[in-house]
Amino acid sequence: MKIKNIIKGLEVEKIYGSLEKDIKGISYDSRKVGSNYVFVAIEGFESDGHKYIDQAIEKGATALVVTKDIKVDEENITVIKVKDTRDSLARISSNFYGNPSEKMKLIGVTGTNGKTSITYLVKSILEKANMKIGIIGTMGSVIGDELFNTSNTTPESLLIQEYLYHMIEEETKACVMEVSSHSLDLKRVEYCNFDIGIFTNLSRDHLDYHNTIENYFNAKLKLFYMTNKCNIINIDDIYGRRIVEETKDLDISTITYGIVEKATIYATDIEYHLNGVDFKLNTPKGSIDILFNIPGEFSVYNALAAASCAYYYGIGLNTIKEGLQSVKGIKGRFEIVPTNRDFSVIIDFAHTPDGLEKVLTTIRQFSEGRVVAVFGAGGNRDRTKRPIMGETVGKYADFLIVTSDNPRHEEPGRIVDDVIEGVKKVNKNYIKIVDRKEAIEYAIKNARSKDIILLAGKGHETYTIIGDEVLPFDERQIVLDILKKMEK
């Protein structure tokens, strides 16, 4: 593709050199540049791409997109100066891959909790309606029958457009994407043609980046000004109600869902139990009973969000029911590990005060013995939420084991102490075991009859991050290994 076609729609300040060159690829990482590539120099949090221009040229870049006035010695290099290279990367990536989001149904899901579960529920329902579905999200990207790992909930714009392009190649009809607040703020999803935006909820998270809850909300809000057809909003959430109010003049549809407030799609006759939740799904076109396989009130909300999306697309209630009920579980989301003992182990991704409260109150609905929580807080993240997490878990768990969880570049013991500051306010029944594997082993070896052990924070992750190292750490396997060792 020629440069002149790649930069269509770009807000260009200056151009030096030819726009007739054929381009074979795009990169914002100088190490990944190939022959006849465009190199986009992004000013990041830790490094500035402009420092690596010479390296990019050596690797074969023949065009540069920059925000600074630069000088290059090679005459055959085209330099395109723009105001914002993040926005430019999103634009040229979409152009390069043929604007793939315009050729499919694209559904964005944002909110603090529930994004991953909703993407898989939407996928299940739409597949029952004979649509081929792709996913981009926390647990990776699903293209055809393959799963591709990604380092971020929402990848960089270049990778998003590449994934969407390959989905089109696989004749995918729709993609459901987790849209993080970071991705919205950093323009990773610019020039994505969203049919639908789904809002789950909003609670304290990522304040290490956004600084205030209002900034966090405003980042999420951006998605609902990007959608072209319908916004689907949890009306029971205070921020959901704000989104409905702030977007009421947009020329698109709005579907609300909920349990408490008056909503378009809502649940009644809810019955909670250990192996799931039963409820009646109510829509303007009728009602149907759902036997959902994942426990908890949060699961009802997730199911309602997915059902609302299917409802907008005109999918019938029986197909919605079939799609929801066919999901037996989602990895790392209230995942019950088989122990063949008289106690239970549940793995869940909950890593915010609100998420922890939701999963623990769900467990409380059917617990007969103690609720034992093994949890910690991530390093190099919002430190202020750590004691709040500790206090939240302390309110709902009978016994707490405070441990490590992806300490990154922080000292693990200090993180644990931050969490314990909150625990001590409400609960004296806790122990500090910094090594997470030892903490899990302690919980299992000291389990009593009918106890429920919650391993919170890592969920689907099969690794732990210590410093710059990503080390294997699969909690499911660890639990099974401990149980097997106890049999000897």
Side-chain angles (χ1 to χ4, degrees), residues 430-447:
Y430 69 89
I431 187 171
K432 172 182 175 179
I433 304 178
V434 175
D435 185 287
R436 192 173 179 98
K437 186 174 180 180
E438 290 181 14
I440 295 170
E441 187 167 8
Y442 181 92
I444 291 173
K445 287 185 174 179
N446 291 277

Side-chain angles (χ1 to χ4, degrees), residues 26 40 45 61 81 109 145 151 181 201 203 207 212-214 238 284 297 305 329-330 340 343 396 447:
I26 302 166
V40 184
F45 298 111
K81 185 183 179 186
V109 186
D145 297 324
S151 57
S181 58
N201 49 58
S203 62
L207 298 195
T212 69
I213 194 77
E214 193 67 15
I238 186 171
E297 184 180 71
I330 297 169
N340 296 317
F343 61 86
Y396 297 103

Side-chain angles (χ1 to χ4, degrees), residues 202-486:
L202 191 136
S203 62
R204 186 187 186 93
D205 199 15
H206 301 303
L207 298 195
D208 54 306
Y209 175 82
H210 294 290
N211 294 319
T212 69
I213 194 77
E214 193 67 15
N215 289 344
Y216 182 37
F217 168 72
N218 286 329
K220 297 286 190 187
L221 180 63
K222 290 177 183 178
L223 175 63
F224 304 98
Y225 286 96
M226 296 173 68
T227 51
N228 296 311
K229 294 182 179 178
C230 182
N231 287 330
I232 295 172
I233 310 295
N234 174 5
I235 198 67
D236 287 349
D237 187 274
I238 186 171
Y239 291 99
R241 294 193 287 276
R242 279 186 62 182
I243 292 172
V244 171
E245 179 61 26
E246 294 196 29
T247 60
K248 65 182 180 182
D249 295 327
L250 297 180
D251 189 25
I252 61 172
S253 301
T254 298
I255 292 175
T256 58
Y257 67 93
I259 298 172
V260 179
E261 300 289 332
K262 184 178 179 182
T264 316
I265 310 286
Y266 59 98
T268 55
D269 306 321
I270 303 171
E271 294 183 14
Y272 301 102
H273 48 88
L274 174 61
N275 296 314
V277 55
D278 305 336
F279 64 94
K280 184 181 290 293
L281 172 66
N282 302 281
T283 80
K285 293 185 178 179
S287 303
I288 197 165
D289 291 326
I290 305 292
L291 309 178
F292 197 52
N293 296 303
I294 306 173
E297 184 180 71
F298 61 88
S299 292
V300 179
Y301 280 105
N302 293 341
L304 290 173
S308 298
C309 179
Y311 174 83
Y312 176 78
Y313 284 130
I315 295 172
L317 288 176
N318 287 323
T319 303
I320 292 173
K321 177 187 175 90
E322 187 182 1
L324 290 175
Q325 293 188 171
S326 67
V327 177
K328 304 304 180 186
I330 297 169
K331 188 176 181 181
R333 271 63 181 175
F334 215 91
E335 180 182 351
I336 299 174
V337 181
T339 63
N340 296 317
R341 303 293 181 99
D342 60 351
F343 61 86
S344 302
V345 176
I346 296 172
I347 294 176
D348 195 88
F349 191 51
H351 60 282
T352 66
D354 182 62
L356 288 162
E357 181 176 14
K358 282 180 167 65
V359 71
L360 285 164
T361 52
T362 295
I363 292 172
R364 278 292 180 199
Q365 290 169 346
F366 51 75
S367 60
E368 297 179 42
R370 297 182 306 164
V371 176
V372 179
V374 181
F375 76 111
N380 300 114
R381 296 294 185 266
D382 179 12
R383 188 177 178 184
T384 62
K385 78 175 182 181
R386 295 173 187 170
I388 302 172
M389 291 169 64
E391 187 172 354
T392 300
V393 178
K395 288 178 181 177
Y396 297 103
D398 298 301
F399 186 72
L400 295 77
I401 304 171
V402 189
T403 187
S404 183
D405 180 354
N406 293 337
R408 299 180 177 87
H409 291 280
E410 285 195 67
E411 201 282 305
R414 187 185 121 179
I415 300 173
V416 171
D417 289 339
D418 286 344
V419 176
I420 288 174
E421 284 302 312
V423 173
K424 292 190 294 188
K425 295 179 181 179
V426 293
N427 198 324
K428 304 301 180 185
N429 297 316
Y430 69 89
I431 187 171
K432 172 182 175 179
I433 304 178
V434 175
D435 185 287
R436 192 173 179 98
K437 186 174 180 180
E438 290 181 14
I440 295 170
E441 187 167 8
Y442 181 92
I444 291 173
K445 287 185 174 179
N446 291 277
R448 302 173 188 172
S449 178
K450 306 295 185 183
D451 276 0
I452 297 177
I453 300 170
L454 171 66
L455 309 182
K458 298 193 68 61
H460 63 282
E461 295 176 355
T462 56
Y463 58 84
T464 187
I465 305 172
I466 301 175
D468 290 321
E469 290 189 280
V470 179
L471 304 172
F473 197 92
D474 186 338
E475 292 194 329
R476 293 152 211 76
Q477 192 58 52
I478 288 169
V479 170
L480 296 176
D481 289 345
I482 292 168
L483 291 168
K484 188 174 182 180
K485 189 167 65 173
M486 289 170 61

Side-chain angles (χ1 to χ4, degrees), residues 22-211:
D22 283 318
I23 294 298
K24 303 300 182 186
I26 302 166
S27 182
Y28 57 92
D29 184 338
S30 60
R31 296 166 296 183
K32 298 179 180 179
V33 169
S35 179
N36 296 312
Y37 265 49
V38 173
F39 175 65
V40 184
I42 292 177
E43 295 181 72
F45 298 111
E46 297 178 358
S47 63
D48 182 352
H50 293 82
K51 295 179 180 179
Y52 302 96
I53 285 173
D54 289 342
Q55 183 180 341
I57 293 172
E58 287 175 11
K59 288 274 191 175
T62 53
L64 308 171
V65 179
V66 299
T67 57
K68 299 178 180 179
D69 289 316
I70 63 165
K71 292 182 179 180
V72 292
D73 295 330
E74 290 82 351
E75 293 182 0
N76 66 327
I77 303 297
T78 299
V79 180
I80 302 163
K81 185 183 179 186
V82 297
K83 183 177 180 180
D84 184 344
T85 45
R86 287 192 183 278
D87 184 88
S88 298
L89 178 64
R91 169 63 85 182
I92 66 176
S93 298
S94 181
N95 288 342
F96 182 76
Y97 285 106
N99 302 304
S101 66
E102 296 177 2
K103 302 169 185 176
M104 62 166 64
K105 301 180 191 302
L106 183 60
I107 302 149
V109 186
T110 198
T112 304
N113 302 308
K115 297 187 294 296
T116 301
S117 296
I118 291 169
T119 61
Y120 279 86
L121 294 175
V122 169
K123 182 176 188 288
S124 180
I125 298 171
L126 297 188
E127 285 179 338
K128 294 299 181 184
N130 299 314
M131 294 171 61
K132 194 169 185 178
I133 310 301
I135 285 180
I136 297 176
T138 303
M139 295 202 293
S141 295
V142 178
I143 304 173
D145 297 324
E146 291 189 72
L147 176 66
F148 298 85
N149 292 324
T150 53
S151 57
N152 298 312
T153 295
T154 314
E156 188 53 80
S157 57
L158 176 62
L159 195 53
I160 289 174
Q161 298 298 336
E162 181 182 349
Y163 283 159
L164 295 176
Y165 169 78
H166 290 306
M167 287 180 193
I168 295 296
E169 285 189 317
E170 292 287 329
E171 298 183 342
T172 302
K173 299 302 180 186
C175 172
V176 57
M177 182 195 303
E178 292 185 53
V179 182
S180 68
S181 58
H182 289 75
S183 72
L184 287 157
D185 199 54
L186 296 173
K187 302 186 178 180
R188 294 176 191 161
V189 293
E190 292 294 313
Y191 313 109
C192 285
N193 191 57
F194 289 102
D195 266 7
I196 290 175
I198 299 175
F199 176 77
T200 66
N201 49 58
L202 191 136
S203 62
R204 186 187 186 93
D205 199 15
H206 301 303
L207 298 195
D208 54 306
Y209 175 82
H210 294 290
N211 294 319

